[in-house]
Amino acid sequence: MGKSIQELKQIANDIRKDIIEMLAESGSGHPGGSLSATDILTVLYFNEMNVDPNNSKWEDRDRFVLSKGHAAPVLYATLAKKGFFPKEELMKLRKIDAMLQGHPDMKGTPGVDMSTGSLGQGFSASCGMAMAAKIDKKDYRVYTLLGDGELQEGLVWEAAMLAAHYKLDNLTAIIDYNGLQIDGKTDEVLSVNPVTDKFKAFGWNVMEMDGHSIEEIIESIAKAKEIKDAPTVIVAKTIKGKGVSFMEDKAEWHGNAPKEDQKVQALKELGGEI
Amino acid sequence: MTKMIATRDAYGEALIEIGKDNENVVVLDADLSKSTKTHGFGQEFPNRFINVGIAEQNLIGTAAGLAAAGKIPFASTFAMFATGRAFEVIRNSVGYPKLNVKICATHSGITVGEDGASHQALEDISCMRTIPNMTVIVPADGVETKAAIHAISKMEGPVYVRLGRLAVPTINDEASYEFKIGKGVTLKEGTDVTIIATGLMVSEALEAAKELETKGINARVINIHTIKPLDNEIVIKAAKETGAIVTAEEHNIIGGLGSAVAEVISESYPVLLKRVGTKDTFGESGKPADLMKKYELTKDNIIDAVVDVVKKKQ
């Protein structure tokens, strides 16, 4: 809270560097979808959400569910930067006995609100959390981030129906719309379009934003909070691999870790120390 | 005369009781609330009842989110759809994070009857017991069902409760019955053989034991209401003291109670074992009693199995 746009941009850049370093160290993981979601997570954790890194299970906290669980590196780097756990943990990502699993594990990692990794399930769980807040008459909010490819999962639409039916206006879903999935362009593998019309037809308040404009992200999330009696989905136009030229808009960087020379190149572009 | 009540009916009553005791109890259903008997809870506590529609994956996913936010969700639908359709959601969103979700599924087994094979879950025990962190409970009657629902509402962690459609004989005394998760119940002492049964096969086992007495066979009868964690002690003791075991369940002989007992005795104290259950086959439409007979799930089938193992033992 209270951070300037410039400061938030700096934080996002730092998180991107951490993502590159941790993935290069682990030798496996998902850079593309982590880098496309970095600005969104930066705004959520450093400008919007009411969370306490010293009390990660605080019951009145805002919740965040990374439904596209494979983007775990961006969540881990963000949580570490926020102070939920020491940054050193990042370099143990995906290694045996490490706290940071390949996909988020709520039991093992402070700050992770839901275990995810199997697509669609996090979105469904976020509906349950929002329902719990309604039942308990609490005013915390629930945020969830989905991939555009994830929308191909049937469970997403089961959950979308539920959220609208029960008027979960305390739920904001953000679609990290980078247009790519493992096998190629989302439009070519199995089109999810028209995404906005689909959600409108399902009874959601629908917004669109540039998922890399800190200003637009702040504004959109604030607007979503004003909507009553309907959940909001914000379709965020993003670029997979954002910030690293050779990764940008390339499906092959969905689940490939950078090699040493690629790491050096990526950090150079991001202004990292070599 | 023995009182007949379906375990699903007892479940519906128990839900209202625990709903009164604990305001964190939330009930979810997938458009089957009148059949699963969660309907009554919905009328009593409308703000704590969520009908998710015909969407079993979301039934479990939503329940997981509610549990992650501190509620105690009871999620109900038919056993087929709960454990089959939603299996992977249960595994990844409930079992893995060890969330406090109670999956109470009705219409298990072949006694679903006329609806036929598509609706007769005969593999649900197997599916659920293979998930780490999952407790699996199969009550034998209404009394045990109520006790189990009260017990699991006070316990932290994921549970699968297998309930039935059919009215079954009440074998336990409501006033004196004590239910402990993970503890088998010896209903009849015996020295020649042990019948280990679960669910509605417990009453069949008691009937079989009675008849076996007239044939000169003294059978012990154990009710295993908690398939997981299994009461290894009571099973091994039975193997040692009676030297032969027959298991009885309204479930495929692959993966259920029979398999669980086989795992324990073969590692600790191997004795002859025979499994009464469906023989790796789908069911079909028909009256429950006729199906029980055709698929060899009656007291007579237990008797035959007992006679066989006792003969082989000698």
Side-chain angles (χ1 to χ4, degrees):
Chain A
M1 308 267 166
K3 289 205 162 34
S4 71
I5 301 292
Q6 196 47 43
E7 283 171 314
L8 290 170
K9 282 182 179 167
Q10 184 58 52
I11 289 169
N13 199 62
D14 291 347
I15 289 171
R16 283 195 165 90
K17 286 189 280 186
D18 286 342
I19 290 168
I20 295 297
E21 292 206 69
M22 66 199 284
L23 285 172
E25 176 65 26
S26 76
S28 79
H30 299 79
S34 292
L35 294 168
S36 68
T38 301
D39 299 300
I40 296 163
L41 265 79
T42 298
V43 171
L44 283 172
Y45 278 92
F46 291 91
N47 187 71
E48 183 56 49
M49 284 169 52
N50 199 11
V51 293
D52 180 359
N54 297 314
N55 183 10
S56 63
K57 298 285 176 203
W58 173 41
E59 56 182 40
D60 292 334
R61 72 190 184 280
D62 290 332
R63 268 81 171 165
F64 174 72
V65 178
L66 184 68
S67 198
K68 46 172 286 186
H70 54 277
V74 66
L75 178 60
Y76 298 156
T78 305
L79 291 174
K81 185 128 189 98
K82 187 78 182 171
F84 279 93
F85 50 80
K87 206 179 149 181
E88 294 77 66
E89 291 292 335
L90 298 181
M91 292 303 134
K92 298 181 213 156
L93 170 72
R94 288 178 168 243
K95 292 182 177 170
I96 195 153
D97 294 333
M99 179 180 84
L100 299 181
Q101 296 296 296
H103 293 81
D105 169 18
M106 67 184 288
K107 285 291 170 205
T109 308
V112 171
D113 288 322
M114 184 65 205
S115 299
T116 52
S118 179
L119 296 175
Q121 295 186 25
F123 186 39
S124 180
S126 70
C127 293
M129 292 177 187
M131 297 244 22
K134 291 281 182 195
I135 291 168
D136 290 339
K137 297 191 167 53
K138 291 198 171 205
D139 57 7
Y140 65 78
R141 294 190 63 81
V142 181
Y143 294 92
T144 181
L145 185 77
L146 295 89
D148 52 340
E150 183 175 4
L151 303 180
Q152 291 159 356
E153 284 284 0
L155 175 54
V156 166
W157 303 100
E158 293 184 10
M161 269 185 273
L162 179 104
H165 181 86
Y166 286 98
K167 301 182 175 20
L168 301 181
D169 51 17
N170 52 352
L171 174 68
T172 302
I174 302 172
I175 314 283
D176 180 5
Y177 195 107
N178 59 36
L180 294 172
Q181 58 190 110
I182 300 180
D183 272 354
K185 290 193 168 91
T186 309
D187 277 344
E188 287 170 10
V189 175
L190 188 81
S191 176
V192 296
N193 282 314
V195 170
T196 52
D197 289 351
K198 280 195 176 91
F199 273 99
K200 271 179 205 157
F202 272 70
W204 284 59
N205 173 54
V206 181
M207 291 160 55
E208 291 178 84
M209 70 180 180
D210 174 351
H212 299 307
S213 160
I214 298 287
E215 294 92 333
E216 264 192 52
I217 301 169
I218 291 173
E219 199 183 318
S220 304
I221 289 171
K223 257 192 215 161
K225 286 162 77 175
E226 303 304 317
I227 304 294
K228 295 290 165 225
D229 296 331
T232 291
V233 60
I234 309 173
V235 181
K237 189 75 197 74
T238 56
I239 295 166
K240 198 153 186 154
K242 172 74 178 175
V244 178
S245 62
F246 59 90
M247 290 185 179
E248 285 193 1
D249 207 26
K250 297 244 176 12
E252 51 269 37
W253 283 101
H254 175 90
N256 273 331
K259 304 273 182 296
E260 182 61 25
D261 57 326
Q262 292 167 324
K263 177 188 92 171
V264 172
Q265 171 69 20
L267 291 178
K268 198 181 199 176
E269 289 184 19
L270 292 165
E273 289 171 14
I274 302 163
Chain B
M1 225 188 94
T2 320
K3 198 178 145 199
M4 303 286 283
I5 179 175
T7 51
R8 61 175 168 148
D9 284 308
Y11 169 58
E13 289 170 20
L15 275 182
I16 294 171
E17 291 166 11
I18 60 167
K20 281 178 185 153
D21 290 348
N22 189 336
E23 63 174 23
N24 276 327
V25 171
V26 177
V27 175
L28 301 94
D29 206 296
D31 192 42
L32 289 168
S33 64
K34 291 192 180 94
S35 300
T36 63
K37 305 297 173 186
T38 62
H39 180 62
F41 183 97
Q43 286 184 318
E44 190 85 13
F45 309 104
N47 63 331
R48 287 194 267 146
F49 178 76
I50 303 163
N51 200 329
V52 304
I54 309 162
E56 294 78 14
Q57 297 180 61
N58 198 40
L59 170 79
I60 302 299
T62 304
L66 284 157
K71 312 309 286 180
I72 308 171
F74 280 70
S76 290
T77 179
F78 290 178
M80 186 73 258
F81 314 125
T83 65
R85 187 73 164 245
F87 175 80
E88 196 251 1
V89 189
I90 297 175
R91 186 212 183 262
N92 277 323
S93 288
V94 177
Y96 178 39
K98 210 176 178 181
L99 285 169
N100 199 17
V101 175
K102 317 301 180 189
I103 301 154
C104 299
T106 65
H107 295 64
S108 64
I110 208 147
T111 53
V112 162
E114 289 82 349
D115 277 351
S118 62
H119 284 53
Q120 294 161 345
L122 294 168
E123 54 285 280
D124 53 319
I125 296 174
S126 175
C127 293
M128 290 299 102
R129 83 182 182 94
T130 196
I131 298 176
N133 296 331
M134 186 65 74
T135 294
V136 178
I137 295 174
V138 186
D141 68 358
V143 170
E144 197 164 88
T145 301
K146 274 199 174 185
I149 297 304
H150 279 271
I152 64 170
S153 73
K154 296 183 184 98
M155 158 208 160
E156 179 79 24
V159 181
Y160 174 64
V161 181
R162 184 187 211 232
L163 303 165
R165 167 177 176 262
L166 192 68
V168 294
T170 302
I171 55 168
N172 293 298
D173 172 40
E174 185 147 21
S176 63
Y177 183 62
E178 271 184 61
F179 178 88
K180 282 201 189 94
I181 296 168
K183 282 275 165 231
V185 184
T186 304
L187 292 172
K188 178 185 169 301
E189 289 296 347
T191 51
D192 299 329
V193 60
T194 303
I195 306 167
I196 300 180
T198 195
L200 58 74
M201 292 303 284
V202 175
S203 66
E204 297 287 333
L206 285 169
E207 291 293 314
K210 221 184 279 172
E211 215 169 301
L212 283 161
E213 291 292 338
T214 66
K215 294 180 193 286
I217 296 174
N218 183 223
R220 180 179 302 185
V221 178
I222 294 172
N223 168 17
I224 291 289
H225 52 65
T226 308
I227 311 268
K228 188 186 168 189
L230 188 68
D231 186 347
N232 293 354
E233 204 182 313
I234 206 170
V235 171
I236 294 165
K237 189 164 174 273
K240 283 183 182 163
E241 293 176 1
T242 69
I245 292 174
V246 168
T247 58
E249 61 195 308
E250 188 200 6
H251 185 275
N252 194 346
I253 53 167
I254 296 174
L257 171 71
S259 294
V261 169
E263 288 157 17
V264 172
I265 60 171
S266 57
E267 285 191 353
S268 302
Y269 198 89
V271 294
L272 278 168
L273 168 77
K274 202 150 176 129
R275 296 165 295 159
V276 172
T278 57
K279 315 283 188 298
D280 197 22
T281 178
F282 291 104
E284 66 182 74
S285 291
K287 287 195 168 35
D290 294 339
L291 291 167
M292 294 276 282
K293 210 170 269 175
K294 178 165 177 179
Y295 289 87
E296 302 176 355
L297 298 167
T298 66
K299 72 167 166 52
D300 294 332
N301 304 112
I302 298 174
I303 291 167
D304 290 348
V306 165
V307 169
D308 188 46
V309 288
V310 169
K311 202 193 296 171
K312 280 184 185 150
K313 189 176 98 171
Q314 292 151 357

